[in-house]
Amino acid sequence: MDVKERIIQLRKTINHHNHSYYVLAKPEISDFEFDQLMRELIELEKEHPELKDPNSPTQRVGSDIDHEFRQVKHDFPMLSLTNTYSFEEIQEFNQRITKLLHGERVEYVCELKYDGVSINLQYKDGLLTKAITRGDGTTGDDVTPNVRTIKSIPLVLHGTGYPDQFEIRGEIIITRQGFERMNRGRIETGEPVFANPRNAAAGTLKIQNSSLVAKRPLDCFMYHIAGNKLPSDGHFENMMAARDWGFKIPVHMTRCRNIQDIFNYVNKWEQERNNLPFNIDGIVIKINSYRQQKKLGTTAKSPRWAIAYKYKTLQAVTRLKSIDYQVGRTGAVTPVANLEPVQLAGTTVRRASLHNADQIALLELRLNDMVTIEKGGEIIPKVVGIEKNYRQPDSVPIKFIEYCPECGTKLFRKQDEARHYCPNETGCPPQIKGKLNHFASRKAMDIGLADATINQLYDAGLLKNVADFYALKKDQLLHLERFGDKSADNLIQSILESKKAPFERLLYALGIRYIGETAARKIAGHFRSMQAISSASYEDLIAVEDIGGTIAESILQYFSRQDNLELIQKLSGHGLQMSVASDRPVRTMKLNGLNFVISGVFQHSSREEIKQMIEINGGRIVSAISGNTNYVVAGRNMGPAKLEKAKKHGIPVITEKYLYSMIKNP
Ligand code: IVH
């Protein structure tokens, strides 16, 4: 055998073993034997440079020549998939497809949705010619030298039957084990760790020195093929053919005949995904037939013949870059974590809440730590833990701020409270803005002003406290950006309107700490005027239903401050409702679910007043006594037949006075 023949034979043998090892995960020879073959080939190629071949397995080690990536246009755009999160949406997808295909039978293929970086590979005459990243979907980076180092991607195709020219797409991933190993190595060498396998794969693919890429544990799963003269009209069948050509096609893909099969697949992998050696973030459902795929077509962004069902990732790991301190309406200081962006439940997360200083201490958190974040019910995710194993050598202990970042006032922390507060209630900008926004909000005075406009008025110096709303003049507004004649008129009008807001809403609007809507309603209903509330004692306050010590103290504290009393004076001067209007009783739900029959003539109120009183406290008036009646309110001259009937049903007959007591004290 001459050298050329031996070289060709060695390449074939090594390619075969690479495939057995990296694609089939079934090695046939030992690492030692493999290394022997490789060494021989390297030697021969060195001695015979004229026989060099870029597709030789020896070339998978990459090159250390740095190169910028060239931008290349994709032959077919790389679309993304529509994401769904519920079975209903899958059902809707199925219905849509069936309708668009006029009831034709469809066969689906379900696959795992690999959580990595997508790649587009081009093959010509059985050789890998180009590898392009997704980029913006139309143009991507030419990363061919890097991709050639990935052992599970064939440089030379096996077998026969592949088209002269085609594209195959897939996902470059790093297994969880490969990722852990890689990060451990990085910690040893003092390099920053990657947050997750996907970031690690993406970062690796962008390295401009392919010999470094070759050292990383990249793998590639193929999921889509496009080209003329493919062996079959079926996606599934073509993927099987591609497997014979040497590509890694995961075994988890399945044909599904109906929606139930799809649901079963979704459920199965939701349960078992943690046992997979790599991460998935959902499953992909595709129509098998190319003919039907073509009929359905694509939208600008995604094919109509496929969707993704995403599993809810509720946790992610990322790096804590810095901490901001936000001052809220009440002066409470909330630390907010600035994070290296990470995907979580379908959105990119850059910030997460840290609650308070105690939590930071409890987690022993440091800047540059890798933290676990979690999405709960709130919009902003929270930091729930740290990855101590990944602690970075350059991590910095966190020292909670001592002074307000907004106004410089020294922060304080009440005993038993985890939060720090800025006490400068009337001089700290976010506190003032927060109070103004709260005051104008829908459930408070309902002035109908966007937060941004209020901030604009504050910044223009027109609003310093909530009483200033009522001193605003039209011509002041006209000087401001975005205000015209009409909008200025409207604002002045709605401010005027707001003066009529009932007392309970004003009490809520003041933004006294711990006084929400319900507490405001109860306190207003009990004391009935600002005067009465401001002179109430602690005992008076806690005597009100559902009002405890915290609220009572907060009220006492509020009314002990001269500036607050002056503010209320001003509001009163502007004509706001400082007491419960006698014709506007406070609503409660004390009679919720109770049915009343009213009968007879009453001493203190008219029948109509009694009826209203029941209704505004949540009760219902029914005309005749039945088993569903809860009470009969009886006045003078109630008919004996009615009395008899009430007795028969065992329904309590009550007086007007008793009804009042029910509303006051159930
Ligand atoms: S099919 C036109 N199949 O998900 C075909 N995509 O949101 C579109 N992905 O960019 C892709 N696993 O990176 C397909 N089994 C799979 C997939 C998969 C992961 C990724 C892919 C794509 C993204 C779409």
Side-chain angles (χ1 to χ4, degrees):
M1 193 189 298
D2 71 2
V3 178
K4 190 171 172 188
E5 276 173 319
R6 178 60 183 159
I7 285 182
I8 291 172
Q9 188 192 43
L10 278 168
R11 285 179 183 158
K12 249 194 160 147
T13 315
I14 292 173
N15 278 342
H16 170 83
H17 290 303
N18 260 339
H19 180 255
S20 311
Y21 186 90
Y22 289 105
V23 177
L24 307 177
K26 282 198 191 108
E28 294 168 6
I29 58 173
S30 69
D31 289 0
F32 176 76
E33 287 165 301
F34 183 86
D35 289 345
Q36 294 290 341
L37 294 171
M38 200 61 156
R39 207 159 293 163
E40 184 184 348
L41 180 58
I42 291 170
E43 272 312 303
L44 288 178
E45 286 181 351
K46 215 195 280 166
E47 284 162 22
H48 298 274
E50 74 282 5
L51 296 177
K52 253 193 149 171
D53 179 346
N55 291 318
S56 166
T58 56
Q59 300 308 301
R60 298 237 196 217
V61 291
S63 128
D64 58 7
I65 299 170
D66 273 13
H67 49 85
E68 298 272 312
F69 299 121
R70 221 161 35 91
Q71 296 265 307
V72 192
K73 206 163 167 315
H74 295 290
D75 287 344
F76 311 93
M78 283 186 85
L79 302 174
S80 57
L81 294 169
T82 309
N83 288 332
T84 59
Y85 295 89
S86 69
F87 279 16
E88 286 84 73
E89 287 172 290
I90 298 180
Q91 218 140 19
E92 281 163 21
F93 168 72
N94 181 45
Q95 279 158 3
R96 210 158 51 232
I97 298 291
T98 317
K99 195 166 160 210
L100 288 169
L101 294 175
H102 305 293
E104 269 182 34
R105 273 193 61 79
V106 284
E107 181 181 50
Y108 290 106
V109 176
C110 282
E111 297 168 17
L112 302 181
K113 189 167 188 303
Y114 320 111
D115 194 11
V117 202
S118 48
I119 192 75
N120 180 12
L121 307 178
Q122 297 179 351
Y123 283 84
K124 217 171 179 177
D125 300 322
L127 302 180
L128 172 67
T129 53
K130 204 163 269 158
I132 317 168
T133 61
R134 179 171 187 281
D136 63 3
T138 312
T139 346
D141 284 337
D142 181 342
V143 289
T144 316
N146 286 352
V147 167
R148 293 174 76 86
T149 67
I150 302 174
K151 313 284 197 309
S152 54
I153 292 179
L155 301 178
V156 183
L157 297 185
H158 307 200
T160 53
Y162 45 79
D164 319 335
Q165 204 168 333
F166 67 94
E167 263 189 23
I168 187 161
R169 296 178 177 183
E171 198 84 351
I172 294 182
I173 62 119
I174 290 182
T175 60
R176 279 200 286 271
Q177 205 183 22
F179 164 75
E180 295 288 338
R181 205 177 322 122
M182 211 172 114
N183 264 355
R184 275 201 300 275
R186 290 172 75 82
I187 289 169
E188 275 164 27
T189 55
E191 290 165 283
V193 295
F194 286 108
N196 54 49
R198 189 168 47 78
N199 284 10
T204 301
L205 206 58
K206 288 275 156 74
I207 299 178
Q208 291 183 350
N209 175 335
S210 56
S211 66
L212 296 179
V213 178
K215 299 200 176 94
R216 301 274 184 86
L218 293 180
D219 203 340
C220 187
F221 301 154
M222 309 317 301
Y223 55 66
H224 183 73
I225 185 163
N228 296 323
K229 295 197 235 138
L230 289 168
S232 159
D233 176 61
H235 164 67
F236 189 88
E237 292 73 11
N238 283 334
M239 295 316 283
M240 292 306 122
R243 184 179 283 163
D244 293 338
W245 305 333
F247 291 103
K248 193 160 185 172
I249 314 292
V251 295
H252 321 91
M253 77 189 281
T254 310
R255 277 190 256 240
C256 289
R257 222 146 309 190
N258 53 45
I259 195 115
Q260 191 54 50
D261 287 352
I262 298 177
F263 291 165
N264 292 345
Y265 188 88
V266 171
N267 286 335
K268 172 181 152 112
W269 289 107
E270 175 139 45
Q271 299 273 318
E272 288 181 27
R273 67 180 171 133
N274 289 333
N275 304 329
L276 288 166
F278 49 85
N279 284 350
I280 62 171
D281 58 346
I283 67 144
V284 182
I285 307 158
K286 301 175 181 172
I287 306 283
N288 194 29
S289 155
Y290 284 176
R291 182 185 60 77
Q292 290 179 330
Q293 285 188 7
K294 230 175 254 144
K295 233 173 158 177
L296 293 163
T298 68
T299 68
K301 278 206 218 134
S302 49
R304 282 198 197 86
W305 45 264
I307 50 164
Y309 175 90
K310 300 264 275 190
Y311 293 131
K312 292 209 176 68
T313 31
L314 295 174
Q315 285 202 339
V317 175
T318 187
R319 188 196 317 279
L320 171 65
K321 293 200 301 191
S322 61
I323 295 182
D324 282 343
Y325 295 89
Q326 287 181 346
V327 184
R329 162 170 80 84
T330 58
V333 178
T334 313
V336 178
N338 290 313
L339 307 166
E340 215 148 81
V342 65
Q343 287 295 117
L344 181 59
T347 55
T348 308
V349 174
R350 295 188 167 78
R351 291 159 75 73
S353 130
L354 272 167
H355 297 299
N356 53 49
D358 280 353
Q359 202 211 6
I360 294 176
L362 197 72
L363 294 171
E364 293 175 36
L365 201 61
R366 296 180 176 198
L367 295 182
N368 286 332
D369 268 347
M370 298 303 286
V371 296
T372 306
I373 57 169
E374 190 176 284
K375 217 171 225 185
E378 313 80 19
I379 300 165
I380 175 159
K382 48 185 189 256
V383 174
V384 294
I386 74 166
E387 303 287 306
K388 278 257 177 69
N389 299 338
Y390 287 164
R391 173 145 284 166
Q392 305 289 292
D394 59 348
S395 70
V396 186
I398 292 167
K399 206 165 166 289
F400 205 89
I401 50 166
E402 283 178 49
Y403 296 91
C404 175
E406 299 285 344
C407 70
T409 307
K410 192 165 168 60
L411 303 179
F412 80 99
R413 198 174 176 180
K414 258 209 248 160
Q415 239 183 351
D416 308 329
E417 267 210 47
R419 278 167 181 270
H420 285 72
Y421 284 91
C422 167
N424 185 11
E425 268 182 54
T426 48
C428 180
Q431 296 193 57
I432 303 172
K433 286 187 201 175
K435 285 200 174 70
L436 292 167
N437 283 314
H438 173 73
F439 186 83
S441 66
R442 201 173 50 78
K443 289 178 180 169
M445 303 308 277
D446 194 17
I447 296 182
L449 259 179
D451 288 6
T453 315
I454 293 181
N455 295 346
Q456 184 193 8
L457 294 172
Y458 171 84
D459 293 337
L462 296 177
L463 294 178
K464 292 195 181 61
N465 61 47
V466 300
D468 291 344
F469 276 115
Y470 300 96
L472 281 176
K473 298 277 175 307
K474 183 177 167 184
D475 56 313
Q476 290 177 311
L477 298 176
L478 290 176
H479 291 305
L480 299 176
E481 226 178 285
R482 292 200 302 265
F483 268 102
D485 199 59
K486 184 102 204 283
S487 53
D489 270 340
N490 285 348
L491 176 54
I492 298 290
Q493 187 53 37
S494 91
I495 290 174
L496 261 178
E497 266 314 295
S498 78
K499 291 187 183 177
K500 293 188 206 147
F503 174 57
E504 67 198 64
R505 294 235 310 265
L506 172 62
L507 186 60
Y508 167 68
L510 290 178
I512 303 173
R513 181 123 51 104
Y514 305 120
I515 307 227
E517 259 187 295
T518 316
R521 197 182 314 125
K522 291 197 166 148
I523 296 164
H526 184 94
F527 293 101
R528 301 186 80 80
S529 74
M530 198 69 91
Q531 180 58 43
I533 298 173
S534 65
S535 51
S537 69
Y538 182 84
E539 285 69 31
D540 294 339
L541 288 163
I542 57 167
V544 182
E545 186 198 14
D546 290 340
I547 303 303
T550 313
I551 293 182
E553 294 224 10
S554 173
I555 292 176
L556 288 176
Q557 151 83 12
Y558 183 87
F559 288 101
S560 71
R561 289 181 58 143
Q562 193 53 37
D563 48 0
N564 289 336
L565 297 177
E566 279 165 18
L567 179 74
I568 286 169
Q569 211 53 53
K570 275 192 196 153
L571 290 173
S572 174
H574 285 298
L576 278 74
Q577 307 297 310
M578 291 292 152
S579 60
V580 175
S582 49
D583 60 343
R584 199 195 286 278
V586 178
R587 288 169 184 277
T588 77
M589 293 305 272
K590 286 192 177 163
L591 306 181
N592 195 21
L594 299 178
N595 294 328
F596 291 82
V597 169
I598 306 173
S599 184
V601 182
F602 298 92
Q603 208 177 357
H604 300 289
S605 321
S606 69
R607 279 173 74 95
E608 192 46 41
E609 280 166 347
I610 293 206
K611 190 173 157 218
Q612 272 184 14
M613 194 174 322
I614 290 172
E615 283 176 344
I616 63 165
N617 287 291
R620 251 180 47 164
I621 308 294
V622 290
S623 51
I625 296 174
S626 74
N628 289 332
T629 311
N630 300 92
Y631 292 98
V632 176
V633 190
R636 275 181 293 123
N637 302 341
M638 178 177 164
K642 275 198 178 157
L643 202 59
E644 196 51 43
K645 201 162 179 191
K647 258 196 195 147
K648 198 180 115 202
H649 287 285
I651 300 165
V653 177
I654 60 172
T655 60
E656 184 184 0
K657 209 168 151 204
Y658 188 84
L659 177 68
Y660 296 141
S661 75
M662 280 174 83
I663 293 163
K664 275 212 163 137
N665 229 338

